[in-house]
């Protein structure tokens, strides 16, 4: 490389600008290589003329000893000679004028394109992690504690929610609760601005051996509500745990372990079966959208990969069962209506209130065994595909005989088996510009796995649990027309079959009674006994990547969801068949700031 000429004593502004440009290029490339941890060689310890200290501390971590970039990275830069190492101190100077640090010096237009580019949010995935969770895996560590790295992720969210029916709900829409026409709330809209979806995560990683990684991951938001939370003055909503788990990987053995609260293995994945690769729709609502299969529960999971292409996973997860029964006045421990040919029905205990560190205002089912998920997956050139089986158990305690109050009777535990078969896919289209995604789960007693929260079970005439036959599914299309724009559309459905027994009074009891009187559903302030048979939804929306830089990233989102709910058929006051329906429209307008995305 030729040495730089000595600057002229006359008008040398062009040469000064050229030197400044060269120094800025050197600074940009050194910073780029430092960030990718490829600093390996030394800069020659010389300079020439009035150019001083090209290896000074203008970039974080670059030492005055002259550590610099490899020769290949500097082959197009001027060879600076003439300055001994001991004089390399202070800022870079040109004509005795200091060049400001890289972080504040505005680059000329022809140099700006060579500066270190900022990491942008990836919108090309079928489930962009920066939107659906908090993207921490690809971010640099914020700091280290010994050999353990700590990465931070998250965002500040401000969502404006409009619903044409009043649900008095926060940013997790109870999709199955849109009211029928006889409810006054069906005639009032709802506007609900909230910052509760603001989220924070921390990933702590260590590598005890080659190919072995251990980590701890914690993620939370402000979706909890305390005893004094309200929207009057302070809006004091409380933090809640979304995910908290430990995990370990051995790449050589192809083994992956997880223990803690995470997305269920029934959730679809974009690829692999590893945590933080879940195929979550890029929607705003914390309850996702109807038809998408998910839970977030404590679990213990083991995954085995075969050449990082075939995957087999087994997960043991926390159970919980929800009940649907025609008699809305029934409480746990009460009598269910007597079956045909009997004089009285048994007492049935099906849940208990929380104690200890459980919510004392919530009811918990009498679980007999964990939910078990066994899933296989394959990553191919045409997409990611999964198939799994789900096993569940349900339990009630039945008290028969004794006095009319049940005293002196005999208690028996009744257990029923449920579960189902499901699958999901994520298929890239048009060279990755679009993604086709979908999931489905069919079986008995699977209602808790759908956002609409259809019940898992009802009762037989004996008081034993009767898991409901159900199906949950969704299909979506995600497009990425530009690097800063993501568009999506989804359709989803959740449906249950009726399960009833004939009572001694000639009526049917269980879930979906065909002779239930549904007249009150259309009469203002009337009593509506309708039970949901199915719920269908359509969703469309998009995200715009507005700003991106060393300050982070700013996003704006717009989402619309239409829901239509269908009740089981019953009768009206005249004995005619009646089938109430309800619909609802929800709009989200959201702004998010990702401070760690830089």
């Amino acid at each position: 490389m030729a040495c730089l000429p000595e600057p002229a004593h006359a008008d040398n502004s062009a040469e000064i600008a050229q030197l400044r440009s060269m120094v800025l290029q050197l600074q940009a490339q050194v910073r780029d290589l430092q960030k990718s941890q490829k600093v390996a060689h030394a800069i020659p310890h010389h300079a020439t003329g009035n150019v001083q200290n090209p290896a000074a501390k203008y970039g974080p971590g670059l030492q005055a000893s002259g550590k610099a970039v490899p020769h290949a990275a500097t082959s197009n830069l001027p060879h600076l000679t003439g300055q001994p190492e001991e004089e390399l101190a202070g800022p870079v100077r040109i004509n005795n004028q200091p060049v400001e640090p890289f972080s504040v010096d505005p680059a000329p237009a022809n140099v700006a394109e060579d500066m270190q580019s900022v990491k942008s949010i990836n919108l090309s995935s079928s489930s962009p992690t920066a939107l659906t969770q908090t993207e921490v895996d690809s971010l640099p560590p914020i700091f280290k504690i010994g050999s353990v790295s700590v990465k931070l992720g998250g965002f500040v969210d401000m969502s404006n929610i409009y619903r044409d029916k009043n649900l008095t709900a926060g940013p997790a829409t109870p999709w199955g609760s849109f009211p029928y026409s006889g409810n006054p709330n069906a005639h009032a809209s709802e506007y609900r601005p909230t910052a509760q979806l603001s989220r924070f995560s921390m990933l702590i990683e260590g590598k005890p051996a080659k190919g072995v990684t251990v980590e701890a991951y914690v993620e939370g938001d402000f979706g909890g509500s305390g005893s004094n939370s309200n929207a009057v003055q302070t809006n004091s909503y409380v933090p809640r745990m979304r995910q908290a788990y430990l995990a370990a990987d051995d790449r050589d053995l192809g083994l992956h372990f997880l223990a803690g609260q995470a997305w269920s293995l029934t959730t679809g994945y974009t690829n692999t079966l590893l945590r933080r690769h879940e195929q979550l729709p890029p929607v705003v609502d914390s309850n996702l959208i109807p038809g998408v299969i998910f839970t977030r529960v404590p679990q213990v999971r083991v995954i085995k990969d075969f050449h990082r292409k075939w995957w087999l996973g087994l997960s043991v997860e926390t159970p919980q069962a929800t009940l649907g029964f025609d008699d809305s006045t029934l409480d746990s421990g009460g009598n269910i209506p007597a079956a045909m040919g009997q004089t009285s029905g048994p007492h049935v205990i099906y849940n208990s209130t929380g104690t200890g560190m459980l919510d004392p205002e919530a009811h918990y089912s009498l679980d007999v065994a964990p939910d078990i998920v066994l899933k296989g997956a394959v990553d191919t050139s045409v997409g990611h595909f999964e198939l799994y089986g789900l096993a569940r158990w349900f339990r009630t305690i039945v008290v028969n005989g004794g006095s009319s109050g049940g005293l002196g009777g005999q208690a028996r535990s009744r257990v029923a088996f449920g579960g189902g078969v499901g699958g999901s896919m994520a298929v890239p289209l048009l060279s990755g510009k679009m993604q086709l995604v979908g999931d489905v789960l069919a079986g008995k007693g699977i209602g808790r796995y759908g956002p609409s929260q259809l019940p898992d079970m009802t009762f037989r005439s004996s008081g034993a649990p009767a898991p409901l036959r159900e199906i949950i599914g969704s299909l979506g299309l995600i497009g990425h027309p530009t690097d800063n724009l993501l568009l999506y559309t989804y359709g989803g459905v959740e449906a249950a079959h009726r399960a009833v027994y004939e009572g001694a009074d000639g009526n049917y009891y269980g879930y979906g009674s065909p002779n239930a009187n549904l007249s009150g559903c259309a009469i203002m302030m009337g009593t509506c006994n309708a039970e949901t048979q199915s719920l269908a939804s359509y969703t469309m929306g998009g995200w715009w990547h507005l700003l991106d830089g060393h300050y982070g990233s700013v996003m704006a989102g717009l989402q619309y969801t239409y829901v239509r709910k269908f009740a089981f058929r019953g009768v009206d006051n005249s004995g005619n068949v009646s089938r109430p329906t309800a619909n609802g429209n929800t709009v989200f307008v959201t702004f998010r700031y990702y401070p760690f995305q830089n």
Side-chain angles (χ1 to χ4, degrees):
M1 297 174 60
C3 295
L4 296 176
E6 289 288 331
H9 294 287
D11 184 8
N12 55 4
S13 59
E15 295 178 353
I16 292 174
Q18 182 181 11
L19 288 171
R20 181 185 293 269
S21 174
M22 291 177 178
V23 171
L24 286 169
Q25 291 182 56
L26 175 63
Q27 292 174 339
Q29 295 194 34
V30 168
R31 192 163 187 166
D32 186 16
L33 291 167
Q34 288 174 332
K35 197 165 186 178
S36 60
Q37 299 181 350
K38 294 181 180 178
V39 176
H41 301 283
I43 277 182
H45 305 300
H46 13 263
T48 186
N50 293 323
V51 180
Q52 302 175 11
N53 189 19
K57 300 177 182 178
Y58 50 75
L62 189 62
Q63 302 298 318
S65 61
K67 293 287 179 71
V69 298
H71 178 73
T74 59
S75 58
N76 296 324
L77 298 178
H79 188 68
L80 306 178
T81 62
Q83 193 77 355
E85 177 179 343
E86 57 269 17
E87 295 181 17
L88 297 180
V92 177
R93 292 176 176 274
I94 299 178
N95 271 3
N96 290 322
Q97 297 297 318
V99 177
E100 295 179 346
F102 172 77
S103 60
V104 297
D105 188 80
N110 62 341
V111 179
E113 60 187 25
D114 295 328
M115 286 189 173
Q116 167 66 32
S117 61
V118 177
K119 182 183 181 301
S120 62
I121 291 180
N122 174 26
L123 297 181
S124 64
S125 168
S126 64
S127 178
T129 53
L131 300 177
T132 60
Q133 302 192 66
T134 59
E135 190 173 47
V136 293
D137 296 85
S138 60
L139 296 177
I142 301 297
F143 58 89
K144 289 190 174 183
I145 303 174
S147 59
V148 175
S149 67
V150 179
K151 300 179 180 181
L152 301 180
F155 50 79
V156 174
D157 179 285
M158 177 58 193
S159 293
N160 299 272
I161 310 167
Y162 171 82
R163 303 183 181 101
D164 68 339
K165 305 291 192 301
N166 179 30
L167 302 182
T168 317
T173 305
W175 301 108
S177 298
F178 279 93
Y180 297 103
S181 60
N183 189 323
N185 283 327
H187 306 276
S189 61
E190 175 183 23
Y191 171 60
R192 189 75 57 186
T194 179
Q196 287 180 267
L197 295 181
S198 299
R199 195 176 303 171
F200 179 81
S201 73
M202 180 170 61
L203 175 63
I204 305 172
E205 293 179 306
K207 297 185 177 181
K210 183 178 179 181
V212 178
T213 303
V214 295
E215 69 175 42
Y217 181 75
V218 178
E219 178 185 278
D221 61 14
F222 296 87
S225 58
S227 58
N228 58 356
S229 296
N230 62 77
V232 177
Q233 188 174 51
T234 60
N235 285 267
S236 304
Y237 296 99
V238 299
R240 66 168 183 170
M241 177 178 66
R242 286 175 55 88
Q243 300 190 77
Y245 55 78
L246 62 95
D249 302 281
D250 189 320
R251 292 182 64 91
D252 295 336
L253 296 178
L255 290 175
H256 313 273
F257 174 80
L258 180 146
Q261 178 159 309
W263 295 93
S264 167
L265 192 58
T266 59
T267 308
Y269 287 74
T270 58
N271 54 70
T272 79
L273 287 182
L274 300 180
R275 63 232 174 245
R276 299 189 299 279
H277 285 74
E278 292 84 5
Q279 184 199 135
L280 303 173
V283 298
V284 185
D285 200 296
S286 186
N287 199 23
L288 303 185
I289 49 179
V292 175
I293 299 154
F294 83 97
T295 59
R296 275 196 317 270
V297 292
Q299 61 193 271
V300 177
R301 178 193 306 178
V302 178
I303 304 292
K304 167 64 179 172
D305 75 72
F306 302 89
H307 308 293
R308 307 286 293 187
K309 177 181 179 180
W310 297 89
W311 303 81
L312 183 64
L314 176 66
S315 184
V316 178
E317 304 182 354
T318 297
Q320 191 67 197
T322 57
L323 175 73
F325 193 71
D326 295 292
D327 186 355
S328 59
T329 64
L330 178 69
D331 291 323
S332 182
N335 286 85
I336 63 173
M340 180 66 70
Q342 297 180 352
T343 58
S344 64
H347 291 264
V348 182
I349 297 92
Y350 55 91
N351 64 34
S352 300
T353 55
T355 60
M357 295 182 70
L358 297 181
D359 185 353
E361 297 182 359
H363 299 283
Y364 297 84
S365 58
L366 307 178
D367 303 315
V368 62
D371 288 3
I372 298 177
V373 185
L374 179 63
K375 173 180 278 191
V378 60
D379 292 303
T380 72
S381 59
V382 296
H384 174 82
F385 303 92
E386 302 177 356
L387 183 67
Y388 64 90
L390 168 66
R392 307 197 65 200
W393 289 265
F394 305 92
R395 177 166 62 183
T396 61
I397 298 176
V398 179
V399 180
N400 285 301
S403 64
S404 59
L407 299 177
Q410 295 181 341
R412 294 185 59 187
S413 177
R414 297 296 186 95
V415 177
F417 176 77
V421 176
S424 67
M425 66 177 182
V427 179
L429 304 173
L430 302 179
S431 300
K433 286 293 184 181
M434 299 184 71
Q435 299 275 347
L436 177 66
V437 297
D439 61 356
V440 64
L441 174 61
K444 298 173 66 176
I446 59 173
R448 77 176 292 217
Y449 287 87
S452 300
Q453 288 295 285
L454 295 177
D456 294 309
M457 69 174 197
T458 188
F459 297 130
R460 303 185 189 280
S461 61
S462 63
L468 299 171
R469 288 187 295 151
E470 295 165 317
I471 187 169
I472 306 168
S474 68
L475 190 66
L477 194 62
I478 304 172
H480 324 99
T482 67
D483 291 340
N484 65 345
L485 178 64
L486 179 146
L487 302 175
Y488 58 87
T489 180
Y490 279 81
V493 63
E494 300 181 36
H497 288 260
R498 65 163 42 99
V500 297
Y501 67 90
E502 187 176 3
D505 58 2
N507 293 319
Y508 287 89
Y509 297 95
Y511 188 72
S513 171
N515 61 359
N517 190 328
L518 305 181
S519 298
C521 299
I523 299 174
M524 190 57 59
M525 303 294 287
T527 299
C528 182
N529 298 315
E531 293 172 311
T532 303
Q533 180 188 38
S534 61
L535 188 144
S537 70
Y538 173 73
T539 298
M540 62 183 297
W543 285 96
W544 289 264
H545 197 169
L546 300 179
L547 297 174
D548 198 18
H550 292 289
Y551 45 79
S553 300
V554 177
M555 304 286 290
L558 177 64
Q559 176 185 323
Y560 165 75
T561 298
Y562 171 79
V563 171
R564 188 164 184 85
K565 181 172 68 172
F566 300 88
F568 283 101
R569 287 183 174 86
V571 296
D572 59 18
N573 288 330
S574 302
N576 299 316
V577 174
S578 174
R579 192 188 189 191
T581 62
N583 60 65
N585 298 275
T586 300
V587 176
F588 276 78
V589 179
T590 303
F591 301 95
R592 282 183 181 174
Y593 172 44
Y594 297 81
F596 303 107
Q597 207 71 36
N598 53 48

